[in-house]
Amino acid sequence: MSEHNLAELEDRIASESAFVDDLLDEIGRVVVGQRYMIERLLIGLLADGHVLLEGVPGLAKTLTVRTLSDAIGTDFQRIQFTPDLLPADLLGTQIYNQKTGAFSIKKGPIFTNVILADEINRSPAKVQSALLESMQERQVTIGEETFPLDDLFLVLATQNPIEQEGTYPLPEAQVDRFMLKIDVTYPTGDEELEIMRRMARTDESASVDAVASPGQILQARTVINDLYIDERVEQYIVNLVLASRDPGAYGLGELEPLLEYGASPRASINLNLAARAHAFLRHRAYVTPEDVRAVAQDVMQHRLVITYEAEAEQVAAADLVDRILSSVEVP
């Protein structure tokens, strides 16, 4: 790309990404801390990728998702997944009208913009598959009719890492459909103090203003596609993914007994998209290796299948991603 074209692109990015800071500030008025989670949710939103959140209860996951939805002026639905939930409860169903003798369609809560699928692993495989198929195909079939979902359609699912009794863990092939998996952590001491001061009240919480629109988000997705990414950065993305499949070829032979399966091709696609969105959040017109490294853990960790030996040695997939990042040469 010529300097002239890059300068034009930088001006365009500066203009199109101006709403990002307003969005972060507005969410920060309600949500204390959790900057990492908020940025990753925005990356999923801007890169058109769904996000899996894992964390103990009480870490403001629902509050953050609802606040994000309000701040961009979109419809929001929270669905509590339970063992007795049926696919029809999610997608909708056909209702028979005795007077007319015809069926009508009653659409389910999936027909919205932002969905919080709370404790997705508490529902059986049929319900999980119904949601994940909608995520992949961006459409829902009820009876013989197929309905497209909105262009702005984002699924944010949560898992509780503590209570595993009575849950139905997501199969690896289904987890792979999430662009990012975020480990939500506890707040710091100062953040905890601020949370207590804000929330230990009986009056209503702060309202959220819509500081961005769905149209701006969709326009930003178009702009992100135009960000400049050098061939060496593209090759770096591919090398990170290949190192998870064939560690020995990248001087990581000690990882071979610990890895059952490496990352799928979706990993390289999503690494590229997420790195672009990460650069966009920083108002840059080009992608750097640091953008890739910043999102690599969230894109790759849930796509690695570790062996029983790794579990016995208490080595997590996140540890393996860290070792790959520290060993693969950075351009």
Side-chain angles (χ1 to χ4, degrees), residues 209-256:
D209 295 326
V211 296
S213 67
Q216 283 178 295
I217 301 298
L218 295 175
Q219 175 63 22
R221 289 179 179 177
T222 303
V223 176
I224 284 172
N225 291 333
D226 295 334
L227 259 66
Y228 175 69
I229 179 166
D230 191 85
E231 288 184 9
R232 290 171 295 177
V233 178
E234 290 179 327
Q235 188 59 53
Y236 179 55
I237 290 172
V238 172
N239 287 343
L240 289 174
V241 174
L242 292 180
S244 72
R245 300 178 197 164
D246 186 10
Y250 291 84
L252 291 163
E254 72 276 9
L255 299 190
E256 289 184 347

Side-chain angles (χ1 to χ4, degrees), residues 74-144:
T74 57
D75 293 330
F76 168 80
Q77 285 277 4
R78 175 185 175 274
I79 304 170
Q80 180 64 53
F81 278 59
T82 57
D84 60 348
L85 197 70
L86 299 173
D89 298 328
L90 185 67
L91 306 180
T93 187
Q94 292 180 308
I95 298 176
Y96 181 69
N97 188 323
Q98 287 186 331
K99 291 182 179 179
T100 63
F103 285 93
S104 60
I105 299 294
K106 178 175 171 51
K107 293 182 178 180
I110 200 167
F111 289 92
T112 188
N113 298 119
V114 178
I115 288 180
L116 178 63
D118 224 351
E119 296 191 295
I120 187 174
N121 56 331
R122 289 215 170 276
S123 285
K126 281 186 178 180
V127 179
Q128 294 176 4
S129 296
L131 174 65
L132 293 164
E133 182 179 359
S134 302
M135 289 164 52
Q136 187 71 16
E137 306 299 332
R138 303 299 174 110
Q139 64 181 29
V140 172
T141 300
I142 304 174
E144 295 181 354

Side-chain angles (χ1 to χ4, degrees), residues 98-220:
Q98 287 186 331
K99 291 182 179 179
T100 63
F103 285 93
S104 60
I105 299 294
K106 178 175 171 51
K107 293 182 178 180
I110 200 167
F111 289 92
T112 188
N113 298 119
V114 178
I115 288 180
L116 178 63
D118 224 351
E119 296 191 295
I120 187 174
N121 56 331
R122 289 215 170 276
S123 285
K126 281 186 178 180
V127 179
Q128 294 176 4
S129 296
L131 174 65
L132 293 164
E133 182 179 359
S134 302
M135 289 164 52
Q136 187 71 16
E137 306 299 332
R138 303 299 174 110
Q139 64 181 29
V140 172
T141 300
I142 304 174
E144 295 181 354
E145 290 189 67
T146 299
F147 302 91
L149 296 169
D150 286 351
D151 290 334
L152 185 57
F153 174 68
L154 182 69
V155 173
L156 307 171
T158 69
Q159 284 191 137
N160 183 346
I162 298 176
E163 292 183 61
Q164 295 304 322
E165 187 175 344
T167 63
Y168 305 81
L170 288 170
E172 284 79 7
Q174 293 184 343
V175 174
D176 189 42
R177 298 187 190 183
F178 287 95
M179 171 179 275
L180 306 171
K181 177 177 179 289
I182 306 168
D183 295 322
V184 186
T185 58
Y186 284 114
T188 65
D190 290 340
E191 290 170 349
E192 187 95 18
L193 183 61
E194 179 62 23
I195 291 168
M196 182 183 68
R197 286 172 174 168
R198 285 196 198 182
M199 299 300 180
R201 303 169 62 90
T202 55
D203 55 1
E204 292 185 4
S205 58
S207 60
V208 180
D209 295 326
V211 296
S213 67
Q216 283 178 295
I217 301 298
L218 295 175
Q219 175 63 22

